[in-house]
């Protein structure tokens, strides 16, 4: 059974109920982002940025670092491996930090993260499942530190491998069958259970792929390549060139202004006005870059990340289906092995029963032979007496050849005679040696076989339970993923309309402003020439 958030009935859950559906995303806002330094006894000064989150309805405020946002999102991914968790801004590369360090100003990076982290929280608040998660509620609670949240259920009992299944029932949390049993007394049982459940590798090829998810997988792969290597990179290059153009305009404006100082009369005035117009172009280009970054580039960057997230969700579902197929193969193989062992056990019991019957017959025959040796040779029937005498005489000759000790008792002599008869055949001797060697290798092969049969039956029972659980979980995953993909598609369509409109408006406003400035400058030059 898949993990679902339980009703915690806390203050934050009431803010994100369906009754507040229209306003639940607007309840969250990051009002401040400021640098803070740690108290360090050494000379090194370690600084980081703290983001202040405000809950509008109850005036709650909580401060979180970027690393806590990152850890929080990773925890949601583990809890909901097939849910599209909204992205957060990526970590900046060393080149980015070098640029900000050179400029001595990283306010732009901080503000960008502030905006993207706020959108991250708003999207979680508007998600019908994630907004009910108590981990999210505690993340917004000023009384809960992230260390406490991460070290308490359900995050503290998350498995290393989410594909491992186990039955789990907690009093306050209904954790998915992916999670391990937390109690110490059942750790050994859980380890044995998990060792039986197969875990597929990423290179596993599905035998029966779901056609419903084949197309999304291929689409995500192609889209990810196109967006990552073409659209996003091209957009970043354009922004970089526009930023360089803004800097060039600023330098050109300074050059015109400096030139006007070396001239006199109307020429000096015109040069100064041209310099001011060029400065205006530099300012409008810089504003265009900033607006483009906030209204277009950040959203495109997020949807580039969404493609990676979708690919991960589809990959997890594929691995779950692969695990289901491997469990089915394992059940089939163990049933074949069990049938072979059971057949061997039945044959062994049949041979053992026949051997016991034969042993009883041999024992009876030997006893009769021993009784015959005690027959008195002075029988009243001469013919029978002669036969017995002949037999006794032959036995006596053999007995003499054995050279028994003079002080040997009659029972010892009879036991020696029986043992010599037992190994009289080479086949019997070979069978005895074989049986002895088997005893040396396995003290009790029959008991070992019975133990194997018992373990196989237990393993098959556990695998069958895991198969039922895996199939149901796979079914629930498919339904939830379809709903989440449809929700994301609707959100993407609305956001793409806003992005494209913003893209057009940015260029229109930039062109209109520059055209107006230069038209005004043209009129000034014409008037100056007439004068």
């Amino acid at each position: 059974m898949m993990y679902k958030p339980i009703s915690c009935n806390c203050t934050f859950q009431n803010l994100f109920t369906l009754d507040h559906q229209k306003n639940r995303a607007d309840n969250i806002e990051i009002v401040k982002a400021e640098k803070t330094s740690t108290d360090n006894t050494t000379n090194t000064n370690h600084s980081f940025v703290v983001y202040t989150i405000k809950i509008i309805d109850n005036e709650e405020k909580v401060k979180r670092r970027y690393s806590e946002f990152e850890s929080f999102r990773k925890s949601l991914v583990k809890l909901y491996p097939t849910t599209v968790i909204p992205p957060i801004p990526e970590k900046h590369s060393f080149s980015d930090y070098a640029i900000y360090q050179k400029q001595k100003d990283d306010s732009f990076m901080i503000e960008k993260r502030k905006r993207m982290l706020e959108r991250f929280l708003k999207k979680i608040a508007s998600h019908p499942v994630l907004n009910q998660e108590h981990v999210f509620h505690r993340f917004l609670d000023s009384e809960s530190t992230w260390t406490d949240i991460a070290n308490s259920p359900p995050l503290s009992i998350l498995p290393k491998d989410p594909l491992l299944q186990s039955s789990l029932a907690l009093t306050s949390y209904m954790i998915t069958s992916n999670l391990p049993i937390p109690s110490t007394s059942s750790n050994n049982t859980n380890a044995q259970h998990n060792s039986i459940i197969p875990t597929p590798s990423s290179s596993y090829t599905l035998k029966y792929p779901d056609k419903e998810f084949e197309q999304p997988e291929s689409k995500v792969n192609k889209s990810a390549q196109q967006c990552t290597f073409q659209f996003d990179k091209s957009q970043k290059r354009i922004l970089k060139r526009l930023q360089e153009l803004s800097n060039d305009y600023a330098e050109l404006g300074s050059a015109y202004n400096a030139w006007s100082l070396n001239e006199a009369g109307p020429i000096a005035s015109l040069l100064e006005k041209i310099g001011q117009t060029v400065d205006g172009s530099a300012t409008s280009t810089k504003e265009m870059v900033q607006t483009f970054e906030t209204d277009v580039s950040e959203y495109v960057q997020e949807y580039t990340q969404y493609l990676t997230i979708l690919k991960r969700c589809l990959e997890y579902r594929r691995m779950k289906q692969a695990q289901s197929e491997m469990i089915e193969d394992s059940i089939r193989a163990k049933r074949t092995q069990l049938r072979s062992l059971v057949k061997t056990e039945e044959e062994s019991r049949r041979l053992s029963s026949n051997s016991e019957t034969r042993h009883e017959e041999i024992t009876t025959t030997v006893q009769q032979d021993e009784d015959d040796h005690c027959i008195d040779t002075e029988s009243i029937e001469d013919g029978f007496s002669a036969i017995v005498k002949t037999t006794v005489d032959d036995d006596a000759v053999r007995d003499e050849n054995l050279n028994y000790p003079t002080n040997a008792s009659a029972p010892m002599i009879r036991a020696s005679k029986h043992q010599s008869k037992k190994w009289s055949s080479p086949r019997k001797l070979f069978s005895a040696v074989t049986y002895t060697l088997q005893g040396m290798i396995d003290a009790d092969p029959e008991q070992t076989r019975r133990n194997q049969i018992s373990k196989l039956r237990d393993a098959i029972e556990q695998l069958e339970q895991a198969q039922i659980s895996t199939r149901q979980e796979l079914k629930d995953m498919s339904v939830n993923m379809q709903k989440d993909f449809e929700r994301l598609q609707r959100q993407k369509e609305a956001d793409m309309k806003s992005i494209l409109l913003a893209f057009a408006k940015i260029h229109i406003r930039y062109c209109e402003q520059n055209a107006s400035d230069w038209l005004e400058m043209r009129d000034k030059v014409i008037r100056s020439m007439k004068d």
Side-chain angles (χ1 to χ4, degrees):
M1 189 174 182
M2 290 186 63
Y3 171 73
K4 296 179 182 178
I6 65 168
S7 178
C8 56
N9 294 323
C10 66
T11 305
F12 296 96
Q13 186 179 30
N14 297 329
L15 295 175
F16 304 122
T17 56
L18 292 177
D19 295 338
H20 300 82
Q21 185 172 3
K22 294 182 180 179
N23 301 323
R24 56 188 178 183
D26 297 333
N27 284 334
I28 301 177
E29 181 182 3
I30 297 182
V31 294
K32 187 189 299 184
E34 57 183 354
K35 276 190 174 182
T36 304
S37 299
T38 56
D39 295 334
N40 201 338
T41 56
T42 62
N43 294 328
T44 58
N45 186 18
H46 177 64
S47 62
F48 54 90
V49 180
V50 174
Y51 300 90
T52 303
I53 307 169
K54 180 181 179 181
I55 310 300
I56 298 175
D57 284 0
N58 59 3
E59 297 298 327
E60 181 83 15
K61 287 185 179 180
V62 59
K63 294 183 178 181
R64 300 293 183 195
R65 298 174 57 178
Y66 173 82
S67 59
E68 293 175 336
F69 275 94
E70 185 181 25
S71 180
F72 168 55
R73 188 188 178 279
K74 289 180 179 179
S75 301
L76 290 180
V77 170
K78 291 181 180 180
L79 284 174
Y80 304 91
T82 55
T83 299
V84 181
I85 308 297
I88 61 173
E90 297 176 334
K91 289 184 177 180
H92 290 278
S93 62
F94 288 108
S95 59
D96 294 334
Y97 278 112
I99 293 173
Y100 294 130
Q101 186 69 23
K102 183 178 180 180
Q103 296 176 349
K104 302 295 183 180
D105 183 15
D106 55 358
S107 59
F108 177 77
M109 180 192 72
I110 294 174
E111 287 299 316
K112 178 181 177 180
R113 278 189 171 181
K114 173 177 171 291
R115 292 189 300 269
M116 297 185 74
L117 290 174
E118 181 177 302
R119 283 198 293 271
F120 165 72
L121 293 176
K122 287 180 177 292
K123 288 179 180 179
I124 292 180
S126 61
H127 196 282
V129 177
L130 298 178
N131 63 11
Q132 299 299 307
E133 174 56 53
H134 191 53
V135 175
F136 174 51
H137 304 159
R138 295 187 67 189
F139 187 79
L140 302 176
D141 188 0
S142 58
E143 296 181 359
S144 299
T145 64
W146 176 247
T147 303
D148 294 337
I149 299 172
N151 293 325
S152 59
L155 301 185
S156 60
I157 56 175
L158 285 171
K160 294 182 179 179
D161 188 351
L163 289 174
L164 293 180
Q165 297 180 353
S166 62
S167 300
L168 182 64
L170 299 179
T171 55
S172 59
Y173 288 91
M174 184 183 66
I175 306 298
T176 177
S177 59
N178 289 334
L179 305 185
I181 299 176
S183 59
T184 305
S185 61
S186 59
N187 282 341
N188 294 332
T189 304
N190 186 49
Q192 294 175 359
H193 175 75
N194 286 341
S195 63
I196 295 174
I197 306 302
T199 303
S201 64
S202 57
S203 60
Y204 181 90
T205 303
L206 293 177
K207 298 178 181 178
Y208 312 102
D210 193 338
K211 295 181 179 179
E212 189 176 2
F213 289 92
E214 280 184 337
Q215 185 177 359
E217 288 178 358
S218 61
K219 186 177 180 181
V220 165
N221 290 334
K222 292 179 182 178
S223 300
Q225 292 177 359
Q226 292 175 357
C227 288
T228 303
F229 298 105
Q230 295 179 13
F231 189 78
D232 194 35
K233 287 189 176 181
S234 298
Q235 182 177 249
K236 289 180 179 179
R237 286 197 299 266
I238 291 174
L239 286 176
K240 181 179 179 181
R241 291 172 182 172
L242 288 174
Q243 183 64 49
E244 293 174 352
L245 178 62
S246 175
N247 296 334
D248 291 340
Y249 273 140
E251 292 179 4
L252 182 60
S254 299
Y256 271 112
N257 291 328
W259 188 8
S260 67
L261 296 176
N262 296 325
E263 299 292 339
I267 296 296
S269 178
L270 286 175
L271 290 175
E272 183 181 3
K273 290 178 181 178
I274 291 176
Q276 293 175 353
T277 305
V278 172
D279 287 338
S281 296
T283 303
S284 62
T285 304
K286 184 178 180 180
E287 291 176 353
M288 176 188 179
V289 171
Q290 293 177 349
T291 308
F292 196 90
E293 180 73 29
T294 58
D295 295 351
V296 177
S297 181
E298 290 177 7
Y299 288 93
V300 174
Q301 181 181 345
E302 284 182 356
Y303 277 101
T304 302
Q305 293 177 271
Y306 266 120
L307 293 172
T308 305
I309 296 169
L310 289 172
K311 187 175 181 179
R312 179 195 56 79
C313 292
L314 290 168
E315 176 65 17
Y316 181 86
R317 188 207 164 277
R318 191 187 70 82
M319 294 288 286
K320 201 67 179 177
Q321 183 177 350
Q323 186 184 42
S324 178
E325 292 182 356
M326 292 180 66
I327 292 175
E328 187 175 352
D329 293 342
S330 181
I331 292 174
R332 190 181 299 109
K334 290 186 182 298
R335 283 176 177 171
T336 302
Q337 186 180 359
L338 179 62
R339 283 194 296 267
S340 176
L341 287 176
V342 169
K343 184 178 180 180
T344 304
E345 177 67 15
E346 291 176 351
E347 184 68 17
S348 175
R349 289 181 180 178
R350 186 181 66 80
L351 293 176
S352 177
S353 177
N354 293 339
S355 176
E356 291 178 358
T357 304
R358 181 61 179 167
H359 179 71
E360 292 177 357
E361 294 177 354
I362 293 174
T363 303
T364 304
T365 303
V366 171
Q367 185 65 35
Q368 290 177 355
D369 291 343
E370 291 178 354
D371 294 341
D372 290 343
H373 285 296
C374 297
I375 297 176
D376 188 6
T377 56
E378 300 299 329
S379 175
I380 59 174
E381 297 182 1
D382 294 337
F384 180 71
S385 176
I387 295 173
V388 172
K389 285 181 179 180
T390 302
T391 305
V392 171
D393 292 340
D394 294 338
D395 291 341
V397 173
R398 287 196 297 268
D399 293 344
E400 290 176 359
N401 295 333
L402 293 175
N403 296 325
Y404 292 106
T406 56
N407 58 349
S409 61
M412 293 176 60
I413 295 174
R414 286 198 296 272
S416 177
K417 291 178 182 179
H418 178 69
Q419 190 70 16
S420 64
K421 291 179 182 178
K422 183 176 181 181
W423 311 123
S424 60
S425 172
R427 181 177 60 81
K428 293 182 179 179
L429 180 61
F430 178 76
S431 299
V433 173
T434 303
Y435 185 81
T436 302
L437 290 175
Q438 289 178 350
M440 293 171 63
I441 297 173
D442 192 348
D444 193 351
E446 294 183 356
Q447 184 61 38
T448 301
R449 183 173 58 250
R450 295 189 185 100
N451 291 339
Q452 290 177 347
I453 292 174
S454 177
K455 290 180 180 179
L456 277 174
R457 285 173 175 165
D458 292 341
I460 290 173
E461 182 180 357
Q462 292 180 14
L463 286 170
E464 287 175 344
Q465 293 176 356
Q467 180 69 311
I468 294 172
S469 175
T470 303
R471 286 177 176 174
Q472 182 61 42
E473 192 170 359
L474 190 60
K475 182 179 178 181
D476 294 341
M477 280 182 185
S478 301
V479 174
N480 291 336
M481 287 178 69
Q482 287 290 349
K483 292 181 178 179
D484 227 27
F485 288 179
E486 292 173 0
R487 186 184 304 111
L488 180 62
Q489 181 65 25
R490 292 193 299 268
Q491 176 184 326
K492 184 182 75 172
E493 291 176 357
D495 288 346
M496 286 303 296
K497 291 179 181 178
S498 301
I499 292 172
L500 294 176
L501 287 173
F503 187 85
K505 290 179 179 179
I506 289 170
H507 284 82
I508 291 172
R509 185 164 55 250
Y510 174 75
C511 293
E512 287 179 346
Q513 183 174 351
N514 279 276
S516 175
D517 292 343
W518 285 104
L519 285 173
E520 183 180 353
M521 186 63 218
R522 184 195 64 179
D523 294 339
K524 290 180 180 179
V525 171
I526 292 173
R527 286 196 301 269
S528 176
M529 293 176 63
K530 289 180 180 181
D531 294 342

